Amino acid sequence: MFRWEEWPERYKGGVEFLSTEEAKKHLEHWHKQGMVITIMAFGTPYIGGICLCDYPDCIAIRMRMDYGVKPALLKGHQVAKVNYEECIGCGTCAQRCQFGAIKMEITTNKSNIDMTRCFGCGVCVYACSREAIGFVDREKLPTIKEDW
Ligand code: SF4
Ligand code: SF4
């Protein structure tokens, strides 16, 4: 990005340069608002960018969710899991999940996460005022450990 400074006529003031700390703060703020953070890897391990977006605006999420294009968006290394002792059934996590992974159980009025649909984005973790949602490592779950 810094090379862009060499061609100011190209971005015409449309690019704002942030320090690492400013970028982290920005990411955290919008992640808490419900935006999904994705890493754009233009040929792993090279990182081309870190993106904040949501469905249906995010092309990568749409490509994966609506058209099944797997390479467009891979899942994270962790999967969300609910602590049923803490869940009060408010439903906020289900409303925020961009991937349709959370349903509310009618009989128990608790949140139920379908781990096969979870991308591990963490939006639900921030959304829960009860801190009832945590993560487990995907590799510890035999049925989905190869499901990216
Ligand atoms: S946001 Fe938390 S308390 Fe509310 S339904 Fe989800 S897990 Fe339960
Ligand atoms: S971590 Fe999983 S369940 Fe939680 S919001 Fe993201 S995709 Fe949905």
Side-chain angles (χ1 to χ4, degrees), residues 9-27:
E9 73 283 0
R10 291 283 174 90
Y11 64 88
K12 294 188 174 68
V15 175
E16 184 180 352
F17 293 91
L18 304 177
S19 67
T20 305
E21 284 311 310
E22 286 172 330
K24 281 183 184 171
K25 219 169 142 184
H26 186 72
L27 285 171

Side-chain angles (χ1 to χ4, degrees), residues 51-71:
C51 187
L52 274 168
C53 208
D54 61 357
Y55 182 89
D57 296 320
C58 175
I59 293 173
I61 298 176
R62 277 172 58 191
M63 292 274 280
R64 178 75 192 256
M65 300 300 291
D66 295 348
Y67 304 104
V69 181
K70 196 168 175 179

